[in-house]
Amino acid sequence: MNNIRNFCIIAHIDHGKSTLADRLLERTKTIQVTEGQMLDDMDLERERGITIKSHAIQMEYEYRGEGREVTGEKPSDGKYVLNLIDTPGHVDFSYEVSRSIAACEGALLVVDATQGVQAQTISNLYMAIDNNLEIIPVINKIDMPSAMPDEVEDEIIDLIGCKREEIIRASGKTGEGVDDILNAVVERIPHPEGDENAPLQALIFDSVFNSFRGIIAYFKVLNGKIAKGDKVKFFNTGMEYEADEVGVLKMDMIPHKELGTGEVGYIISGIKDAKEVKVGDTITHVARPCDKAIAGFQEVKPMVFAGVYPIDPTDYENLRASLEKLQLNDASLTFMPETSIALGFGFRCGFLGLLHMEIVQERLDREFNMDVITTVPNVTYMCYTKQGEEKEVHNPSGMPDTVMIDHIEEPYIRASIITAADFIGPIMTLCLDKRGELIDQQYVSGNRVELHFMLPLGEIVIDFYDKLKSISKGYASFDYHIDSFRPSKLVKLDILLNGEPVDALSTLTHQDNAVTFGRRMCEKLKELIPRQQFDIAIQAAIGAKIIARETVKQVRKDVLAKCYGGDVSRKRKLLEKQKRGKKRMKQIGNVEVPQKAFLAVLKLD
């Protein structure tokens, strides 16, 4: 156990953690790196250049401590087993980071030498400190011409109060400083603590579905040991299994006879049903169970809700199975069944943010061949009726009647934005337009400012992040956490097509924004809905009051083409005949809303 080190890499998005992980794998001769970001094995991760999943891999490192000064107890020379977990940097995948942190004793805090400390760095750092992890600060990309390592060192010292000599300068591209990082991992990160002879306690921190082997759970042994063929049970679900195979994670899964305290590995026990494996559960022996489950991590709270419906209604059961398999791999996705008048049977899904929603949609399409329609995203509201009842509302169609409502409360977030001083003006304007309140501003260093705002979550779920990036030329970084619910003047905005409400397009919005939002939605839908043989009236309404209207004109045949002159009554007769036909067509015709229209609502300026 003294020769095991479990650590993860945390950083803001695009600070080069996956590239740095490649260099560590290369230096420890774990794998031959043939292309960039070896741990990002999903097509989507490669295409977008972001990490979506946390990836665990085991490395072996030969430590030589000669001539090295070490504060505290010096580790002995020899072979060390390093379990590395590479984590995502985007705020939407912070739950992945919290799970990785639960399985580690130390963390590499990677900061880009050209950009300095950013919002997500601070957020992930606090998460690691709360879990008592040993932090090793690393400045990456020091080979870049625009690097400013001295200023970034000052920022890190202000942030975590470490000594200047503890900060390692490295480059994921050239491999500079990689040996220093590996030595620091062995010297500074404590080995796992635990009792080899105690009853087995292992924490599940991730799981994947394999169509041949069933569900594979990844775990870290905290106490005791687990061997192939052991009878084990999952503490919270109470299900019992036989461990068909246990082993460690390299680039592939390597079977072992047994895993001891402090080791990270996987277990295959032929589990078929996705509901039986819960991330954060404890594995123990059937014969000698532990007294209590490991105090796991918090249940994830989704921030953004949207309906996901199959395009073909017969795919409903397939969609359920696909979502269950996806949930194994992405524990922050939540879903429950719901029905819609316009779209039939589907699921109400909870996501951590818009990027998360987009990724889930892409993965359903690529990994499970599911064509789905996603409705307009919205957040949870608390609705209080005049009878004093409290109701949680996830989508506008679940709202009680307007006459019954006493008041509605919406969730507010505390947002932290770090930016260059030049962009303070436009960013404040953006936040105040979104009904935000400035709490305070602090200068982090020279030209960098941290702004704190209280913002309604409903205002930021659609396009806030994109706008923030564009007005700050990509420099501002954004992080947030839920603060509280506050009363708000919200109204339900319905979109009617030929008098029929389309519940997939209805939204809850603030009273002051309702008219402009309704008008913009009608204009956008007019562009996107194809012309039919009859007029289509697109209306935005609040209750019974119509606040905006657009008309998609009908496609008409020129029935007067054959009339050359002659009496006007002949022309009128032909036009009246056409009018009667159009009227009959309007009664039986129905309007198809293209998927593009649902997505366009998200990109309204």
Side-chain angles (χ1 to χ4, degrees):
M1 201 160 57
N2 291 348
N3 286 23
I4 298 175
R5 300 287 183 271
N6 300 320
F7 69 103
C8 59
I9 303 185
I10 55 176
H12 190 80
I13 190 166
D14 266 349
H15 279 204
K17 27 179 199 317
S18 299
T19 313
L20 197 60
D22 283 353
R23 296 293 84 77
L24 295 173
L25 296 176
E26 222 167 39
R27 176 66 189 79
T28 53
K29 301 187 174 63
T30 307
I31 49 166
Q32 194 70 40
V33 175
T34 48
E35 54 186 328
Q37 282 86 30
M38 292 295 285
L39 293 180
D40 292 353
D41 49 10
M42 222 186 284
D43 292 344
L44 264 175
E45 294 181 312
R46 293 273 167 90
E47 278 168 31
R48 291 173 178 241
I50 57 174
T51 305
I52 294 169
K53 287 285 305 149
S54 50
H55 301 273
I57 190 161
Q58 191 177 89
M59 308 181 286
E60 287 180 358
Y61 177 57
E62 193 72 41
Y63 173 72
R64 291 272 169 271
E66 295 154 21
R68 294 184 58 80
E69 279 184 37
V70 180
T71 47
E73 194 183 324
K74 188 169 182 177
S76 54
D77 290 1
K79 194 171 271 187
Y80 283 78
V81 172
L82 313 180
N83 290 310
L84 156 72
I85 303 178
D86 178 26
T87 63
H90 199 282
V91 64
D92 280 14
F93 304 113
S94 53
Y95 187 61
E96 289 284 327
V97 183
S98 72
R99 289 166 25 199
S100 311
I101 284 174
C104 294
E105 281 84 32
L108 295 183
L109 177 75
V110 177
V111 181
D112 188 332
T114 61
Q115 297 185 19
V117 172
Q118 292 193 290
Q120 196 57 24
T121 319
I122 296 176
S123 158
N124 287 342
L125 171 71
Y126 287 153
M127 215 188 291
I129 290 173
D130 288 347
N131 280 281
N132 298 325
L133 264 59
E134 180 65 39
I135 309 290
I136 301 177
V138 176
I139 298 181
N140 194 19
K141 304 192 187 179
I142 57 162
D143 57 313
M144 301 276 280
S146 55
M148 30 177 208
D150 295 338
E151 289 91 326
V152 176
E153 268 187 8
D154 294 339
E155 286 180 21
I156 293 175
I157 291 166
D158 286 349
L159 185 65
I160 57 176
C162 62
K163 298 193 183 86
R164 195 173 289 275
E165 58 271 16
E166 287 176 7
I167 302 172
I168 300 169
R169 295 188 180 190
S171 162
K173 201 172 184 181
T174 62
E176 186 184 337
V178 169
D179 284 341
D180 294 339
I181 293 174
L182 288 166
N183 288 329
V185 166
V186 174
E187 290 159 5
R188 296 192 216 166
I189 293 177
H191 60 76
E193 301 279 331
D195 183 355
E196 290 236 329
N197 304 316
L200 171 69
Q201 264 187 324
L203 173 76
I204 299 177
F205 65 88
D206 204 356
S207 56
V208 291
F209 180 79
N210 181 311
S211 43
F212 302 108
R213 317 283 311 261
I215 290 158
I216 304 169
Y218 298 161
F219 63 85
K220 176 194 176 188
V221 184
L222 294 191
N223 289 311
K225 49 187 154 200
I226 182 168
K228 183 180 173 177
D230 281 356
K231 287 265 192 301
V232 295
K233 79 167 180 181
F234 288 18
F235 206 91
N236 291 339
T237 56
M239 307 295 279
E240 298 184 2
Y241 308 99
E242 185 170 322
D244 298 338
E245 186 181 303
V246 294
V248 297
L249 298 153
K250 297 253 174 138
M251 229 27 214
D252 297 314
M253 296 185 289
I254 313 285
H256 277 210
K257 283 218 172 94
E258 76 167 16
L259 294 179
T261 306
E263 293 199 66
V264 173
Y266 69 91
I267 177 170
I268 300 176
S269 45
I271 306 169
K272 296 284 182 290
D273 189 357
K275 292 191 193 74
E276 293 175 22
V277 178
K278 288 263 188 297
V279 166
D281 203 348
T282 305
I283 305 175
T284 187
H285 282 134
V286 174
R288 190 175 161 220
C290 55
D291 305 333
K292 59 179 193 296
I294 300 160
F297 16 94
Q298 314 86 357
E299 276 290 305
V300 60
K301 290 188 183 69
M303 303 293 162
V304 176
F305 290 86
V308 173
Y309 295 87
I311 287 177
D312 180 356
T314 55
D315 279 342
Y316 176 72
E317 280 305 321
N318 295 349
L319 179 59
R320 182 198 292 276
S322 305
L323 283 169
E324 280 178 0
K325 286 172 189 170
L326 200 58
Q327 196 179 32
L328 273 177
N329 203 262
D330 180 355
S332 49
L333 170 70
T334 59
F335 63 91
M336 56 190 180
E338 74 163 2
T339 54
S340 146
I341 306 160
L343 301 167
F345 290 102
F347 294 93
R348 184 106 205 125
C349 295
F351 308 98
L352 292 185
L354 272 196
L355 177 72
H356 186 211
M357 173 175 143
E358 211 178 304
I359 295 290
V360 167
Q361 213 174 327
E362 283 269 325
R363 287 182 69 183
L364 281 172
D365 182 25
R366 292 186 187 203
E367 294 172 28
F368 305 101
N369 294 326
M370 292 299 310
D371 279 339
V372 293
I373 287 180
T374 312
T375 64
V376 180
N378 49 42
V379 298
T380 310
Y381 296 94
M382 299 304 288
C383 184
Y384 294 87
T385 60
K386 288 181 176 162
Q387 284 79 33
E389 291 170 5
E390 182 183 322
K391 188 181 179 190
E392 205 172 272
V393 178
H394 291 308
N395 64 338
S397 54
M399 286 285 285
D401 203 357
T402 325
V403 200
M404 309 286 290
I405 297 172
D406 180 50
H407 70 280
I408 302 172
E409 291 187 355
E410 63 175 332
Y412 267 69
I413 58 162
R414 188 187 171 97
S416 145
I417 299 169
I418 296 182
T419 176
D422 320 356
F423 305 118
I424 291 180
I427 286 174
M428 280 196 175
T429 312
L430 171 71
C431 293
L432 296 173
D433 285 350
K434 297 277 187 190
R435 301 190 282 127
E437 300 164 21
L438 178 68
I439 302 170
D440 63 6
Q441 64 182 65
Q442 297 158 355
Y443 279 83
V444 183
S445 68
N447 193 31
R448 305 273 299 289
V449 185
E450 184 173 8
L451 304 167
H452 288 117
F453 279 94
M454 290 298 277
L455 283 158
L457 181 61
E459 292 281 350
I460 70 152
V461 297
I462 294 188
D463 56 358
F464 180 81
Y465 195 67
D466 297 346
K467 283 187 174 170
L468 179 70
K469 282 289 179 198
S470 55
I471 61 178
S472 65
K473 300 183 182 160
Y475 281 110
S477 57
F478 172 70
D479 183 54
Y480 63 88
H481 58 264
I482 290 289
D483 189 76
S484 57
F485 277 82
R486 295 186 182 186
S488 201
K489 289 183 190 165
L490 295 167
V491 288
K492 180 183 170 191
L493 181 73
D494 286 313
I495 298 292
L496 314 175
L497 293 182
N498 281 345
E500 288 289 316
V502 183
D503 56 355
L505 287 173
S506 61
T507 51
L508 280 171
T509 180
H510 195 264
Q511 205 167 339
D512 302 348
N513 307 342
V515 176
T516 48
F517 187 62
R519 196 168 291 145
R520 277 169 23 212
M521 257 169 106
C522 290
E523 286 165 7
K524 196 76 178 171
L525 287 171
K526 184 183 177 182
E527 293 168 27
L528 293 166
I529 292 178
R531 289 170 70 186
Q532 308 275 358
Q533 295 278 12
F534 50 89
D535 274 357
I536 303 169
I538 303 167
Q539 294 166 310
I542 295 172
K545 183 184 173 191
I546 304 291
I547 55 169
R549 174 188 169 123
E550 292 288 338
T551 308
V552 178
K553 297 305 284 179
Q554 60 197 3
V555 182
R556 303 178 56 156
K557 179 182 171 188
D558 187 0
V559 287
L560 303 182
K562 61 185 179 190
C563 297
Y564 297 104
D567 188 31
V568 72
S569 59
R570 285 185 63 210
K571 295 181 182 176
R572 189 163 293 132
K573 181 183 157 194
L574 288 167
L575 288 168
E576 286 295 329
K577 187 181 173 189
Q578 185 188 37
K579 195 173 170 184
R580 284 197 303 277
K582 293 281 183 200
K583 194 173 175 184
R584 203 163 58 245
M585 204 177 272
K586 186 169 183 173
Q587 286 164 356
I588 58 165
N590 62 345
V591 186
E592 288 287 314
V593 183
Q595 168 72 357
K596 262 199 311 220
F598 294 111
L599 295 176
V601 178
L602 313 184
K603 297 187 171 64
L604 283 178
D605 297 326

